[in-house]
Amino acid sequence: MGDIREPLHELTACGLPEALEVMGERWSFMILRASFNGLHHFEEFLSELGIARNILSNRLARLVSHGILDRQPCADDRRRIEYRLTAKGADLLPAMIALRQWGQKYGVDVIENPVLVDEQDRLPIGPIAIVSHDGRRLTGKDLRFVAPENLGKRADGTQATAADGFDRVSGAPNAPALKAVR
């Protein structure tokens, strides 16, 4: 991916190790999927996922401690606890859908039922894609690493500016860079 690459030995130089620390095992993803599907209570997770009680308790505590889920008393029965997605947890939706689509594409006989659709027209969503700051769909050959001081410097020496929705200093998206593109 270009002339320079990530410092692979430095775990703090990339967000992937942090994400894997929080989400890097099956049950965390299954709990997150269940949360996106409207489950909120310990007993619901337990019965729907078929997960051992101690593993569920551990994973829920971990997701809460990392700010993915919020733990709060139920409004109708303060003795019961609800687990709700935080904004940080909701931001994992594109990653979850991308992994789901990858599994459907390369899994053995994976038939989507029910089908994930766009609420507006009730047609299946498009594939999750990496898009540029201006909406162009990108592939691996379109990606490069550059030093922060070289952000926006094109190969021909001209300076580019980021489209709206991107931090003009860091180049980082203010909104997820993964989105469905039709």
Side-chain angles (χ1 to χ4, degrees):
M1 284 210 240
D3 299 332
I4 65 173
R5 65 180 188 149
E6 294 177 285
L8 300 176
H9 64 282
E10 293 181 29
L11 295 180
T12 59
C14 172
L16 185 59
E18 171 65 20
L20 290 174
E21 181 67 29
V22 177
M23 297 299 303
E25 55 83 38
R26 176 181 186 236
W27 287 118
S28 292
F29 281 103
M30 297 293 93
I31 292 167
L32 188 64
R33 181 182 74 161
S35 294
F36 281 120
N37 276 278
L39 272 60
H40 304 293
H41 301 101
F42 186 93
E43 296 300 325
E44 291 175 321
F45 290 116
L46 196 64
S47 65
E48 290 286 329
L49 298 176
I51 184 175
R53 185 175 288 276
N54 63 325
I55 294 172
L56 176 58
S57 180
N58 176 282
R59 295 314 183 275
L60 285 170
R62 181 183 202 121
L63 292 170
V64 167
S65 73
H66 285 284
I68 306 296
L69 295 176
D70 187 30
R71 186 180 190 270
Q72 49 193 251
C74 291
D76 59 341
D77 181 357
R78 311 242 349 122
R79 295 171 295 174
R80 291 185 69 201
I81 299 296
E82 288 185 336
Y83 295 90
R84 299 270 180 182
L85 285 165
T86 63
K88 185 177 179 180
D91 281 348
L92 286 166
L93 182 60
M96 292 289 295
I97 293 173
L99 285 170
R100 179 186 179 117
Q101 289 177 345
W102 183 89
Q104 290 165 339
K105 182 175 181 177
Y106 295 106
V108 178
D109 298 324
V110 176
I111 297 172
E112 188 177 16
N113 186 12
V115 178
L116 186 59
V117 299
D118 172 350
E119 174 63 28
Q120 180 177 317
D121 58 20
R122 299 286 173 108
L123 291 172
I125 64 168
I128 297 295
I130 302 168
V131 295
S132 69
H133 67 95
D134 60 2
R136 290 175 292 115
R137 192 174 186 149
L138 305 174
T139 67
K141 67 182 176 197
D142 298 313
L143 304 176
R144 300 286 178 267
F145 285 108
V146 298
E149 63 271 13
N150 292 327
L151 287 177
K153 291 183 183 173
R154 294 186 180 112
D156 66 3
T158 60
Q159 184 70 35
T161 58
D164 288 339
F166 277 73
D167 182 299
R168 299 197 190 290
V169 175
S170 71
N174 293 331
L178 291 176
K179 71 175 190 178
V181 176
R182 291 187 186 225

